[in-house]
Every structure is written in structure tokens, then in C-alpha cells.
Amino acid sequence: MNFTLHIWRQKSLDCAGDFVTYQVDNIDADTSFLEMLDYLNEQLITQGEDAIVFDYDCREGICGACSLVINGYPHGEKSATTTCQLYMREYKDQRELWVEPWRANSFPVIKDLTVDRSAFDSIIQSGGYISLHTGSAPEANNILIEKHASDEAFNAAACIGCGACVVVCPNASATLFVAAKVSHLALLPQGDIESKDRAKRMIGKMEDEGFGSCSNHRHCERVCPKGVSLQNITRMNKILG
Amino acid sequence: MLESFEPIGPLENKWKKHLFDLALVAPQNRDKHKVIVVGTGLAGASLCATLGEAGYKVSSFCFQDSPRRAHSIAAQGGINATKNYQNDGDSVWRLFYDTIKGGDFRARESSVYRLAELSNNIIDQAVAQGVPFAREYSGYLANRSFGGTQVSRTFYARGQTGQQLLLGAYSAMSRQVDAGKVTHHSRAEMLDLIMVGDKARGIVVRDLVSGKLSTHLADCVVLCTGGYSNAYYLSTNAKGCNTSAIWRAYKQGAYFANPSFTQIHPTCIPPTGENQSKLTLMSESLRNDGRIWAPKHIKDCEKNPKDIKEEDRDYFLERMYPAFANLVPRDVASRAVKHICDEGRGVGVKIHGKRLGIYLDFNKVINDIGLSKVEEKYGNLFEMYERITNEDPYAVPMKIYPAPHYSMGGLWVDYNLMTTLDGLFAGGEANFSDHGANRLGASALMQGLADGYFILPQTIANYLARNSFDEINEDHVEVKQALDSVKHRINQLMHAPQAQFSPEYFHQRLGKVLWEACGMSRERAQLEQAIVDISVLKEEFWQKIKVTGVDQDLNQTLERAGRVADFIELGILMCKDALNREESCGAHARVEHLSEAGGARRNDEDFSYAAAWEYLKEEFKLHKEHLNFEFIKPTVRNYK
């Protein structure tokens, strides 16, 4: 397969960026999107050019490092998939692909396709935990949890912190990310105790970090590679009262 | 002689007694001590959380953009603990026994017993943190049997146990960051260890965004930097996983133990082409219900599996190992799969003339318990398989093949998890402890968290209490020297005399040599040749490595080049170690020491030791920690 790639190149946050067009040929259909970029980078290195920078790590859809907006879609068009698990067989041969970094004020571009998502760490630090003294805990089966609640908590906890929800949101809101953590912990008896205070602190931090508020566009749920549900936002709003 | 500082006395009392003997640091003195933690996966993050909670000043570093992305996150299957909730006869002693036996009698008894002892408290911690483990309708925790054990002791969170445990440790660590106890640095890579006198006192770090180098000093340094399976190039590890932190420590004098003990996991998705950048593991839990088979006849290998009749299928693990069948340990399963494919009975895409795959079939279990039950158990794994391969495993059997997955070897540590360098500790996969020559399923998460939550916080306190630390700053001569040597090395990588090939080029070449010579089976002549080949590759690397861009910038090509340079050197040591070990044990199968039926022939008389290698200017010196089996008599591992 052959593709024409228009890739966003930007030296640093202070420099203007632009699309640069590259041609990649003879790509196997089972090559992943990131492997195609690897292949292109190998060519660039051979030509003596600076390789395109993009975030990746596990390449199995769980670490949340990879990003990329492809033809306008965070993680590409395929639903419930991270970019690292997107395969070129999803695209028609000879297609033009526009590849951009995550774009949100709270995710400043570092270089090329890489952005700074440390604002997500800050939000978790503001309260995304149970305030337990590490090292002391009761016998695990003393805390009984209804199976349905536990399963729901897991669904919320499946968030990989990639940031696609922010990028697709017209308000660049991180509400789904925050709500996923608030919900996960609120659904469990051992986490419910602090849930109101936790939600307030995390939403407050989200606003401090420059993310917008939720106005129910609901694009976030659609692009979430882990299918984190909007119900979590409803649940958080109830908690906040 | 290597001194492990194991306590004497009955096994059950060793850790308790040791805890009492360890010196403490009084609460009001703890913030006078600073500890550096490199790597923030399960071991590192749990250690940061615990040390921060206790009141120490902690500086942590990871190369990822957040601690939440460490590769611990990808562990699928579960975590063992001896709760015996299922009342099936489990106990601390049984987990200890299974781990020692699974490791083929190449691990230290006292350390393994401690691990089994601590396993229960890990589950308590995780549940209290909000880790959503699987539960029964009664609200109690659920368990499953996993990877070659005959009891159900594995706790799991669907197929994402590592993710949930890591996020638990990350949240506890984040709480300490918020409290000001832990100062964390993301996108920061350790490039060397700083020794002052005979003590480890700091690290040289490259800021991966700006490319700037800086030195960080503390009273001691802990490496929780994971394993080195990426030495093989293709592995199930994340692309960024590397050996550099522990290899730098090795070159500063820390001994490296059992480097050839690497685990090749049987159930991974087979490679499909030349551009492949990594292999993906399918959880071992699939072997609980999936049946492994290959066509009996080579002529059937190209057929659609549905068209191969039942009598023409060879359920070879069930045939060869009737007692354990599809649940034999990883090394046994991997070798059997390789053997079948080497015979020409593999299935799937042909790469270099061989089909590298066999079937993992769920047809029987779907018929037995119904589609919905199978979906509940394995739904996310099946989805993942389909996403990668474009094949529906509910309808067509999965194809699997072994891939490098875990390294049992690592920095040698004593009972306190301290390396041979004073003040340098190693936790999690980065150290060599506990798994011997082969790791059992669901025990990596357990070890990482036992090290981080329970062992290191106590032994580090002891070290801090018993030593005095001179004030040092960045102007100290040894600190400056360390920084200069890192600068020099980066300069060499940026400006090779005949720059021609990318880091990936060298990495792939290294991987090929290691996979052939030091993979699932090893043989003298091949290992000797591999050492020559890798030495040549090393020479060539420093002449021809090509790094584009500049060093004072985010430069992933430079990052990779430095890591590949270390993998190349490690590759030589892996082969040396495999060559030295004239026996087959656990995952280490020397062709010369296999029985006719393919079973491993261990040699306890000559090789009942951990091989700890010392770096001496291009030479490797072997030291032995003799393993005494006081409580369990080494037996022949037999899974027939």
C-alpha cells in the first residue's frame, strides 16, 4: 500500500509549525500506523533529516502514550482503538492522511506530534486517590463490594489517560477524564467517603490547568479508546450536587 | 564470596526477625534523608508512595511522560496471593514451594519465602486503594487458577490487572507528590550512576525534552527500571523498555546476576511482517480454557483450521504432559511450540521459510459453558486479538507463538535488595531475585509490589540509619566526572566517524543474533559464535551509528542509540552466562543438556548457584552465590 502523509512538524512550542508532505510506499496492510511512521523515520534518518517525534510506548493499547489526530479524528476513525493498534488495512490504498498532534491549550506542543500532558498528572495529584496511609490496610475481604458496582468501577478505571476526550471537545474539557476517576472511586465503599471533596478538588484543578467546562457535546465518549461512558459525568454531577 | 545477609533460623521467622534487627530512622529525622528512585512502575511507584508516606524526601524519575505509563501497566493476567479464599489447600508454604520449583531451584529460599509471606498484604493494600479486582456475586473477591498452579490463588481485574495495580500505586504516589514528599521528574532518563567514594550517591539525568544534562544527589539510589527483554528487539515489552540504568550501574561495579535467564512467553501473537516493531502477549489465562494444537500433518498447515478434522489435530501439550496439559509452565510450553514449528507443523504466515504459529482453540469451552460465559472471562482479550489480527477468535482459533517477555536476571541483590554497591538498591524486574531460572505466571506484579511496598522501605531505612553521609554538591569532583563521561558518550553517539545506520538497524541485528543463539534453546558453538558476532556489531555500532538532529533537543533517535549501545554490551554478557551454565534449568535450555524427550537436565552439583558477573574493563568476572536448599529438596521438575 502507498500513502501520502501530511505531517505536522513544529520545532518547539515557540516556533510556528506546518504540514510537511511525505510519501510512503510498499507498506504491508498489517503494518500499524506507528510502524508506518517508524518506517518513514528510518528513511528520514538515512537522508540525514531529523526524525518525526511522536509519543508511543506499549504499542498494545494500554499505556495511553500514543496520540495523533488522523484526518481530524483523535486516534483515527476506528472506534475504541488507540493509534498504536490502528492498522493500515483500515485505510484505502493511495489515501492522503493528515497527521496532527493533540491540540488543546492545556496540552502544549513540545515538538512535532508530541504534547505535554502533565496537566493530567496534576489533576490526579489534586485528589484522584483514596487517602489511605500506604502500608496499612484491612484484610481485603472485610470490604465487600457488590459485583455490579465493582464492574462499573472497573469500567471507569479503564481510562488510559491519553487525552483524546480533551482534544475532541469543543471546550477542551477534561470532564470525562476527571469523572472517570471520581466515579471509579465513588462506586467503591472505601472510596465513596471522600467522593464529594475529591470531585470538587479535581474539577477545581482541571479549571486551574486551563481545561474548559463540559457543555454536553458528548464527543468525548465517542472517541474514547476504552469506551469510558458519559454516565460517569452524570454520576460526578450528582456527587457535586 | 557473595554475602546475601540472609537471617538464620526457621524460614517462617527469618523476615520477622530481620525486620526487628533492621535499624530505624525516627520520624523527625526522616526528612533529612533524600532517596532517588529511578523508574516508576509497580516497584518504583509503590516505593515512592511508601517512602513519602513515611516522611523521607524522594526524587523520582521516569522516561515516560507520566508514571502511569510504565510497562507494568500491560500485565494482563493477575497477581498471586496465598489468601486461600478458595479453600483449596493453598498456603504461604505452597506458594513458596511452587515458586522455588517453578524457578527450577535457582532462587534463594529465604527471599522467595518472604515474597510468599508478603503476598497477602499486597492484596489488602490494593483493595484499600480502590483497585477493582474481579468479584463474585456475594461481593467477595474472585480467584482463578493461573499458569501451571493447582490452586486458585490469582487475583485479577479482567485482563488488565497490571493497569489497575499500577494506577493504584500511581495514585498513592500522586498523593505524596501533592503532599510535597515526592518530587517527580517525567521525561527524564538516567544516563549514569554517580559513585562518591564507595557509595552510590546520585545519578546523571538527561531531560528528554530539552536535552539538558543534570546531576541529582541523594543518600542512596534505587533502580526500579524493569527488565531487558528488548535486547531481542522483538519482545512483548514496551518500545521504551531498556537496560541502560542497570547496565550503567553494572559498569560502575554492581554485579549482574543470571543475565541469560530470560523468559520466552508461549502465548503471543505471531509476527506478520518485516516492519513489526513489537509482539503482543495474549494473557496466559487463555490457556486455562483454550486448547493448544497443531496439524498432525505438514500438508494440513495451509488449510483453514475448520477444515482440519479432529483426528488430524495434535493437541500436543495434552499428549506430552497429561497431568498439566495446556497449563504446563511457560518454558515447557514455549519449547514444545518451537519444536512443533521447527518440525514444519506451524501455521500462519511464512516468514523466512517458516510458519511461526500454532492454534489456541476455544471451541470446546464455548460449547461447554456457553458464549456469554466465555465473553465475560476473556471478552477484552478476544477483542484485542481481533483488533490486531483482524480475525475473530470466537469463530477461528487464535494463532500464537512464543516471544521474549520477562527477564529473571538483573542486578544481583542481597536479602536487603541492595546491590554489591553500597547505597544502590534494585527492585522489581530490575533485580535478579525470587524467580530463579523461570518465573511463574502472576508473580511479577507480586514481586514488584512486595519490593516497593514492604521490603525496600524497611531495608533502605536500615541503610540510612547505619551510615553517615558527607555533604556533597554538584561541584564534587566525582560528580563532575560522571557528568563529563555522559557528555562524552553523547558526543560519540552524535558524531560517529562513518555515520551510516540508524539505531533500529543495529538493534534488529542484535535481536536476530540473540533470538537464534540465546533464545528458547542454546548451544555451545552457536553461543560462541554469537559472542564474536555481537562483539563485531559493537565495533561497527560505534563507527557507524547515525543520529540525526541535535542533542540539545527532544531527540528520540539519540535516546534509542544510547539504549541500543547498552543492549549490545548486555547481549555479550547474556551469551557468556548462557555458555557458562552447562546445564538446562527453567527457561535456560542448553541443547547439550536436554534429555531425549526434550526435558531439562539440571546439574545441581555444579550449577546450584546464582551467577553474578562483575565488570572489569571489557572482562567479565564470575562470582557465585551458592544456593542452599535447607527447606525444599531439589527435585526434577516433571510436568508429565
Side-chain angles (χ1 to χ4, degrees):
Chain A
M1 300 177 87
N2 304 329
F3 298 97
T4 304
L5 304 175
H6 307 284
I7 295 179
W8 186 262
R9 304 290 315 251
Q10 183 174 346
K11 276 193 179 323
S12 69
L13 184 62
D14 310 330
C15 300
D18 203 352
F19 287 100
V20 177
T21 302
Y22 302 94
Q23 183 67 31
V24 290
D25 295 330
N26 299 320
I27 294 287
D28 188 72
D30 288 329
T31 302
S32 75
F33 201 92
L34 297 185
E35 284 165 357
M36 177 186 64
L37 293 182
D38 291 342
Y39 178 72
L40 172 59
N41 270 341
E42 287 300 294
Q43 292 177 0
L44 294 180
I45 294 169
T46 306
Q47 292 159 18
E49 289 177 42
D50 199 5
I52 301 156
V53 175
F54 58 96
D55 270 322
Y56 59 82
D57 202 21
C58 77
R59 299 212 175 181
E60 50 186 272
I62 193 73
C63 76
C66 64
S67 50
L68 306 187
V69 175
I70 303 162
N71 285 2
Y73 295 90
H75 292 300
E77 265 171 274
K78 192 173 191 218
S79 68
T81 302
T82 56
T83 301
C84 65
Q85 292 202 314
L86 188 63
Y87 290 84
M88 296 320 292
R89 58 180 177 251
E90 298 295 329
Y91 294 99
K92 283 211 176 85
D93 193 19
Q94 308 289 353
R95 187 152 175 203
E96 285 188 54
L97 299 168
W98 297 79
V99 188
E100 299 171 74
W102 274 180
R103 293 194 195 277
N105 276 342
S106 305
F107 292 160
V109 170
I110 296 174
K111 187 180 171 184
D112 295 341
L113 301 170
T114 295
V115 301
D116 179 355
R117 283 172 288 192
S118 57
F120 268 13
D121 284 330
S122 303
I123 291 174
I124 296 294
Q125 285 154 17
S126 73
Y129 42 76
I130 292 173
S131 302
L132 142 98
H133 286 274
T134 299
S136 69
E139 151 60 37
N141 257 348
N142 284 350
I143 307 169
L144 298 187
I145 303 171
E146 202 237 324
K147 186 176 187 305
H148 178 70
S150 177
D151 288 348
E152 277 292 293
F154 178 95
N155 291 339
C159 167
I160 57 174
C162 64
C165 50
V166 172
V167 177
V168 78
C169 176
N171 305 343
S173 175
T175 304
L176 188 63
F177 171 77
V178 173
K181 188 46 67 185
V182 168
S183 264
H184 156 214
L185 297 175
L187 281 159
L188 305 170
Q190 68 272 41
D192 188 34
I193 300 158
E194 302 170 88
S195 48
K196 186 162 186 176
D197 185 43
R198 175 186 302 121
K200 275 185 182 165
R201 279 187 286 152
M202 291 179 74
I203 284 288
K205 189 69 185 175
M206 178 187 94
E207 287 166 359
D208 292 349
E209 291 287 341
F211 295 98
S213 301
C214 175
S215 51
N216 292 316
H217 288 274
R218 300 190 285 186
H219 299 319
C220 50
E221 182 184 58
R222 189 172 49 78
V223 299
C224 175
K226 296 295 149 184
V228 172
S229 159
L230 281 171
Q231 280 181 3
N232 293 303
I233 298 181
T234 315
R235 193 175 290 119
M236 179 171 74
N237 287 339
K238 273 190 195 154
I239 291 167
L240 284 165
Chain B
M1 258 306 267
L2 281 167
E3 176 53 74
S4 66
F5 301 105
E6 286 172 271
I8 47 165
L11 201 52
E12 295 84 349
N13 294 341
K14 279 181 196 268
W15 177 235
K16 289 186 200 89
K17 177 175 180 300
H18 195 68
L19 274 179
F20 182 73
D21 292 339
L22 290 172
L24 300 172
V25 178
Q28 69 273 19
N29 290 331
R30 290 179 196 158
D31 70 352
K32 293 174 189 145
H33 291 289
K34 186 172 161 189
V35 178
I36 284 174
V37 179
V38 187
T40 45
L42 280 180
S46 58
L47 176 62
C48 288
T50 316
L51 288 176
E53 188 79 59
Y56 297 98
K57 274 201 288 201
V58 181
S59 277
S60 57
F61 301 82
C62 72
F63 70 77
Q64 297 92 345
D65 75 326
S66 164
R68 68 179 294 147
R69 310 210 195 282
H71 193 55
S72 308
I73 205 158
Q76 298 171 3
I79 176 167
N80 286 331
T82 68
K83 291 281 194 186
N84 194 28
Y85 287 157
Q86 307 308 319
N87 193 28
D88 55 2
D90 201 10
S91 63
V92 170
W93 190 273
R94 192 174 292 281
L95 177 56
F96 158 65
Y97 177 82
D98 287 350
T99 308
I100 288 279
K101 183 186 168 206
D104 217 0
F105 303 92
R106 291 294 173 264
R108 190 189 290 150
E109 274 189 335
S110 55
S111 298
V112 175
Y113 190 87
R114 172 176 62 186
L115 176 65
E117 237 179 331
L118 293 171
S119 65
N120 289 338
N121 200 347
I122 295 170
I123 303 302
D124 298 343
Q125 281 311 310
V127 167
Q129 279 168 353
V131 171
F133 284 123
R135 287 180 183 267
E136 295 171 3
Y137 283 102
S138 57
Y140 287 91
L141 288 156
N143 294 110
R144 61 183 172 198
S145 161
F146 192 86
T149 56
Q150 291 172 310
V151 289
S152 290
R153 63 159 72 101
T154 303
F155 294 77
Y156 61 100
R158 280 184 221 162
Q160 288 156 243
T161 317
Q163 180 199 26
Q164 295 307 320
L165 287 168
L166 180 66
L167 293 180
Y170 162 73
S171 72
M173 174 183 168
S174 296
R175 183 167 161 263
Q176 296 306 324
V177 173
D178 192 46
K181 303 285 180 48
V182 174
T183 308
H184 176 71
H185 311 261
S186 283
R187 294 193 195 271
E189 183 164 27
M190 166 184 161
L191 293 183
D192 216 341
L193 177 71
I194 298 172
M195 295 294 296
V196 175
D198 58 357
K199 285 192 173 74
R201 291 296 302 273
I203 56 174
V204 181
V205 171
R206 181 166 180 270
D207 177 328
L208 298 182
V209 173
S210 66
K212 289 204 171 57
L213 297 174
S214 57
T215 52
H216 298 259
L217 303 169
D219 294 343
C220 68
V221 176
V222 194
L223 303 184
C224 299
T225 53
Y228 52 84
S229 294
N230 273 348
Y232 294 98
Y233 185 69
L234 282 183
S235 85
T236 66
N237 282 189
K239 283 294 279 177
C241 292
N242 66 80
T243 191
S244 289
I246 58 174
W247 193 253
R248 303 279 106 209
Y250 165 73
K251 293 189 86 169
Q252 295 279 355
Y255 294 1
F256 201 118
N258 302 333
S260 72
F261 286 176
T262 53
Q263 183 171 74
I264 317 285
H265 197 293
T267 54
C268 304
I269 300 177
T272 57
E274 294 285 340
N275 288 332
Q276 191 114 11
S277 61
K278 75 155 270 162
L279 297 170
T280 303
L281 173 80
M282 295 308 299
S283 169
E284 190 156 42
S285 62
L286 293 169
R287 284 203 278 147
N288 283 347
D289 290 306
R291 297 180 72 200
I292 288 175
W293 64 274
K296 272 187 188 161
H297 313 291
I298 293 176
K299 64 177 170 56
D300 288 343
C301 290
E302 275 176 54
K303 280 189 185 165
N304 182 330
K306 282 188 166 166
D307 299 333
I308 303 173
K309 285 187 214 129
E310 195 59 34
E311 63 265 29
D312 291 331
R313 300 176 174 194
D314 179 13
Y315 295 90
F316 52 93
L317 290 180
E318 297 172 22
R319 170 172 59 81
M320 292 157 75
Y321 308 100
F324 286 78
N326 292 300
L327 292 175
V328 289
R330 293 175 175 179
D331 59 308
V332 178
S334 291
R335 277 204 300 280
V337 171
K338 179 179 190 288
H339 180 70
I340 295 288
C341 294
D342 285 350
E343 278 182 1
R345 291 200 282 141
V347 295
V349 192
K350 242 185 195 172
I351 299 181
H352 304 303
K354 248 190 211 171
R355 291 180 206 280
L356 303 177
I358 49 99
Y359 292 118
L360 179 60
D361 197 332
F362 293 88
N363 194 30
K364 182 171 182 296
V365 67
I366 291 171
N367 288 337
D368 286 355
I369 65 171
L371 194 67
S372 66
K373 278 264 170 61
V374 173
E375 260 171 11
E376 189 182 323
K377 268 174 123 167
Y378 303 115
N380 63 331
L381 296 171
F382 280 31
E383 270 170 45
M384 175 172 154
Y385 181 85
E386 185 170 3
R387 195 173 303 125
I388 295 170
T389 62
N390 216 17
E391 284 183 348
D392 175 11
Y394 292 104
V396 188
M398 282 184 182
K399 285 194 276 289
I400 54 154
Y401 194 69
H405 176 58
Y406 188 89
S407 42
M408 283 75 71
L411 292 181
W412 184 89
V413 288
D414 62 18
Y415 191 71
N416 291 321
L417 305 186
M418 190 158 89
T419 67
T420 50
L421 294 177
D422 262 7
L424 180 71
F425 294 80
E429 194 177 349
N431 72 32
F432 88 113
S433 66
D434 302 349
H435 307 298
N438 185 37
R439 182 175 65 74
L440 288 180
S443 62
L445 302 179
M446 175 174 69
Q447 185 226 329
L449 290 176
D451 289 359
Y453 281 131
F454 304 117
I455 304 171
L456 283 164
Q458 307 300 325
T459 59
I460 287 171
N462 174 65
Y463 176 79
L464 296 173
R466 290 187 198 274
N467 286 276
S468 57
F469 302 94
D470 298 334
E471 278 282 324
I472 46 167
N473 62 33
E474 288 170 3
D475 297 328
H476 192 281
V477 59
E478 286 172 281
V479 178
K480 279 179 155 173
Q481 274 170 3
L483 183 63
D484 286 344
S485 88
V486 169
K487 277 184 189 159
H488 176 67
R489 188 166 183 265
I490 288 176
N491 205 34
Q492 280 184 304
L493 290 169
M494 293 299 302
H495 307 288
Q498 307 154 35
Q500 191 177 352
F501 298 116
S502 72
E504 294 292 283
Y505 166 84
F506 288 102
H507 199 173
Q508 283 174 346
R509 274 180 60 189
L510 171 70
K512 236 178 197 160
V513 175
L514 278 178
W515 177 245
E516 290 302 327
C518 203
M520 278 181 281
S521 60
R522 295 109 187 243
E523 185 249 325
R524 169 166 287 279
Q526 224 179 348
L527 286 165
E528 284 170 346
Q529 186 57 45
I531 291 170
V532 174
D533 292 347
I534 302 172
S535 304
V536 170
L537 188 69
K538 182 181 164 186
E539 289 290 311
E540 202 182 322
F541 176 91
W542 288 103
Q543 290 297 312
K544 296 187 179 168
I545 180 66
K546 184 173 182 179
V547 178
T548 52
V550 295
D551 67 326
Q552 295 289 310
D553 191 8
L554 174 51
N555 188 338
Q556 293 173 318
T557 315
L558 175 61
E559 292 166 27
R560 253 177 253 151
R563 294 169 192 167
V564 173
D566 291 328
F567 275 132
I568 291 174
E569 294 185 7
L570 167 69
I572 299 173
L573 186 60
M574 285 166 70
C575 293
K576 283 253 180 203
D577 185 53
L579 195 57
N580 170 68
R581 195 166 279 279
E582 288 281 354
E583 64 164 350
S584 292
C585 62
H588 170 68
R590 278 289 297 269
V591 173
E592 302 91 330
H593 305 286
L594 290 175
S595 69
E596 273 177 25
R601 278 205 305 242
R602 218 174 55 224
N603 177 350
D604 289 335
E605 203 162 304
D606 300 318
F607 291 97
S608 186
Y609 62 77
W613 298 88
E614 181 186 6
Y615 173 76
L616 293 170
K617 296 267 172 209
E618 308 299 318
E619 258 311 300
F620 306 104
K621 187 178 178 198
L622 175 64
H623 300 263
K624 297 174 184 176
E625 181 198 344
H626 288 280
L627 300 168
N628 302 313
F629 291 93
E630 235 183 296
F631 303 95
I632 297 182
K633 193 174 169 303
T635 53
V636 176
R637 240 173 27 131
N638 182 0
Y639 293 95
K640 291 263 174 194

